[in-house]
Amino acid sequence: QKEVEQDPGPLSVPEGAIVSLNCTYSNSAFQYFMWYRQYSRKGPELLMYTYSSGNKEDGRFTAQVDKSSKYISLFIRDSQPSDSATYLCAMIIPAQETSGSRLTFGEGTQLTVNP
Amino acid sequence: DAGVTQSPTHLIKTRGQQVTLRCSPKSGHDTVSWYQQALGQGPQFIFQYYEEEERQRGNFPDRFSGHQFPNYSSELNVNALLLGDSALYLCASSLHHGGIRETQYFGPGTRLLVL
């Protein structure tokens, strides 16, 4: 069983739609949760970073974490064609004294927003 | 402010050969992590370097090795290449706090094709 599960899609929506992207995880040690956006042939770029359970909003993006259910979500409001990309959830177990954190990623969801 | 840079952008090798990939971290960052991203998959952690030492390692064979230089730049070496090593190799840099907010910034990646 993978530590982080993410529906790979693909997901296709019309411009202006609300998009919901989700990940589940099995390791309770994960404490920090991120969403990365990756355009074709580019490296991932950080979109949202959350720690506690609850919601965090940044413009059209809302990240939601439910640690009790081991479930995280990313909502995109008023989606735009420029949002077309692969969205990756990622998680971190807090760094130990002598080692750095490492990201554990989901498989990524490919999103297309049609004009 | 230069972000994370990687070279080369693309590389074609044949089975059994050896390859070296290079990464320069974002200005001010001292920690470099390497990830392998197969087509249609999320990035998988290979290893992380800090203070010129390998600090953490993912589930990758010894054919994968690395180095970090005093200027924090890093190399990833892969020996005895297999077809399955074909992937996008991503370098991520961060600032080592030994604590919470170690946001990792990714480079554009090196696309390796093994024939």
Side-chain angles (χ1 to χ4, degrees), chain B residues 34 36 44-47 49 54 56-66 76-86 89:
Chain B
W34 286 92
Q36 180 195 66
Q44 298 290 314
F45 176 78
I46 302 175
F47 43 53
Y49 277 83
E54 183 182 293
Q56 281 200 84
R57 189 178 183 90
N59 189 25
F60 279 81
D62 292 344
R63 299 187 296 108
F64 290 77
S65 63
L76 164 65
N77 302 291
V78 186
N79 295 321
L81 285 167
L82 304 174
L83 296 179
D85 295 332
S86 296
Y89 287 85

Side-chain angles (χ1 to χ4, degrees), chain A residues 2 32 36 38 41-44 46 49 88 92 95-103 105-107, chain B residues 35 37 40-43 45 48 55-57 88 90 98-104 106-108 111:
Chain A
K2 293 181 182 179
Y32 301 96
Y36 281 83
Q38 185 174 26
R41 301 191 177 279
K42 301 287 187 183
L46 182 66
Y49 187 131
L88 297 154
I92 286 182
Q96 301 302 305
E97 183 177 346
T98 57
S99 65
S101 299
R102 62 196 235 183
L103 293 166
F105 283 90
E107 192 174 341
Chain B
Y35 293 81
Q37 186 176 24
Q41 301 294 315
F45 176 78
Q48 183 178 83
R55 297 292 179 155
Q56 281 200 84
R57 189 178 183 90
L88 180 68
L90 295 162
I100 301 176
R101 299 190 185 280
E102 293 183 38
T103 302
Q104 296 189 22
F106 284 83
R111 190 164 296 278

Side-chain angles (χ1 to χ4, degrees), chain A residues 37-57:
Chain A
R37 177 175 62 194
Q38 185 174 26
Y39 290 114
S40 180
R41 301 191 177 279
K42 301 287 187 183
E45 58 174 328
L46 182 66
L47 271 178
M48 302 280 288
Y49 187 131
T50 57
Y51 168 63
S52 56
S53 284
N55 294 351
K56 181 177 180 180
E57 210 170 296

Side-chain angles (χ1 to χ4, degrees), chain A residues 10 15-16 18 22-23 25 28 31 33-34 46 57 66-67 69-70 72 82 88 108 111:
Chain A
E15 184 175 353
I18 297 174
N22 311 293
C23 289
Y25 61 96
S28 298
Q31 295 294 323
F33 306 91
M34 282 132 285
L46 182 66
E57 210 170 296
D66 182 348
K67 288 187 178 180
S69 301
K70 298 189 182 66
I72 70 170
S82 59
L88 297 154
L111 171 67

Side-chain angles (χ1 to χ4, degrees), chain B residues 18-35:
Chain B
Q18 178 263 343
V19 67
T20 298
L21 311 181
R22 295 176 176 83
C23 171
S24 290
K26 181 178 167 65
S27 179
H29 283 180
D30 56 10
T31 301
V32 172
S33 302
W34 286 92
Y35 293 81

